[in-house]
Amino acid sequence: MRTVDVWVSARSRRRAWLHAVAWVLLGSALLAVASGLTVAVPERVATERAFLDARPCDSDRGAPDTANCLRTIRGTVLSAGNAKSGKATVFRVRLRPPVPAPADQALDLDSHGDLSELIKPGEEVEVTAWRNVQVSVSHDGVRETLPGLPDEDATVFVGIALACVWSAALAFIAAFGGVRRAHRAATGRPVVPRVPFGVAKGVGVVVPPFVVALCAGRIWDTWTAVVMTVIVSALIAVPVTILALYWDREPSPAPLPDREPEDELSRSD
């Protein structure tokens, strides 16, 4: 009987230590990703500032593709119609070559927008471009801004970095719990059940930084948006984490009476 208990205890300790090491490795990897994203934030902020400060070019002729001004590219529509972009449906327009980049790429417009009813093959459109980014498309006085502009990249990077840091903190908490369980198993003391952490709780921990980042990118610009993303995320991180850790927490088992191990073995025999 005692041999079986010792074997079970040793197995529990090994499992707890393996779990602790795995959580530490995961947390370290998440911190590494967050560090890489954080290093890239200043460059993204500088790009966003340059885009927001861009003005129309004095002359389209001779302007290089990387010119830090808003260029107007005129072209004739080669094809126009609804197309699939992932799971979404877009109104895809292609211009007749030759046209300079980035207008030589497909222009994905809102399939329910005004331009989807106006643009037909053979008609002329104007594409506004900045560096190598498609900014907007206009036809007959109707203008539509294209998605994917660099005015929210910085906050998106910050949101991903915060999600990684947040998850890494929880991974280190889980690693601490694994070490604690290993020590308690080694001394024969009862182990408090681990708090379940399923998909619902994971969503509650990871999603808020992304939502905050998108909202901050739409309200503020450049470093202001970055700072507000960090502040707002920090304000909601603590309560959401506490709720995630204690939601449906199992009660701790009643403590065992203070008796010597020898007495327990003798009575069990």
Side-chain angles (χ1 to χ4, degrees):
M1 179 72 176
R2 184 173 184 179
T3 303
V4 174
D5 291 340
V6 171
W7 180 80
V8 172
S9 177
R11 183 180 179 183
S12 299
R13 289 199 303 273
R14 287 195 300 269
R15 184 184 297 111
W17 278 111
L18 288 175
H19 287 171
V21 171
W23 283 116
V24 169
L25 292 176
L26 176 61
S28 301
L30 289 171
L31 286 182
V33 174
S35 299
L37 293 172
T38 303
V39 170
V41 168
E43 180 182 355
R44 298 287 173 171
V45 171
T47 301
E48 179 182 355
R49 172 54 62 192
F51 172 71
L52 295 176
D53 292 341
R55 295 294 180 265
C57 298
D58 293 336
S59 175
D60 295 336
R61 180 176 299 177
D65 292 344
T66 57
N68 201 24
C69 60
L70 297 172
R71 295 177 294 130
T72 300
I73 303 172
R74 295 176 176 83
T76 303
V77 177
L78 176 65
S79 62
N82 289 338
K84 283 290 186 180
S85 178
K87 294 183 178 180
T89 300
V90 298
F91 184 73
R92 181 161 295 169
V93 178
R94 295 184 183 275
L95 301 184
R96 183 177 301 164
V99 287
D104 57 345
Q105 304 296 320
L107 308 169
D108 289 342
L109 307 177
D110 185 359
S111 60
H112 301 289
D114 294 334
L115 288 181
S116 64
E117 300 178 359
L118 297 177
I119 294 180
K120 307 295 181 184
E123 297 182 343
E124 289 190 355
V125 297
E126 294 182 350
V127 180
T128 301
W130 177 78
R131 293 185 180 178
N132 203 34
V133 178
Q134 300 170 351
V135 176
S136 64
V137 178
S138 60
H139 174 67
D140 282 348
V142 180
R143 182 173 182 270
E144 180 176 326
T145 301
L146 298 175
L149 300 182
D151 56 348
E152 295 180 4
D153 286 353
T155 55
V156 171
F157 271 53
V158 173
I160 298 175
L162 290 175
C164 290
V165 171
W166 200 345
S167 302
L170 294 179
F172 289 132
I173 292 175
F176 172 79
V179 174
R180 179 172 176 268
R181 286 191 297 274
H183 285 305
R184 294 181 71 88
T187 58
R189 289 180 294 174
V191 179
V192 179
R194 184 177 62 178
V195 179
F197 197 81
V199 176
K201 295 179 184 179
V203 171
V205 168
V206 175
V207 168
F210 291 102
V211 177
V212 172
L214 292 176
C215 293
R218 295 179 180 274
I219 299 174
W220 297 284
D221 297 327
T222 60
W223 283 111
T224 303
V226 170
V227 173
M228 293 305 299
T229 299
V230 175
I231 291 176
V232 177
S233 296
L235 290 176
I236 65 176
V238 173
V240 171
T241 301
I242 293 175
L243 289 176
L245 291 175
Y246 283 91
W247 180 32
D248 292 336
R249 179 173 181 141
E250 298 181 14
S252 303
L256 294 177
D258 295 332
R259 288 181 293 193
E260 296 295 329
E262 291 79 5
D263 294 341
E264 290 292 324
L265 291 175
S266 61
R267 293 188 181 184
S268 62
D269 292 337

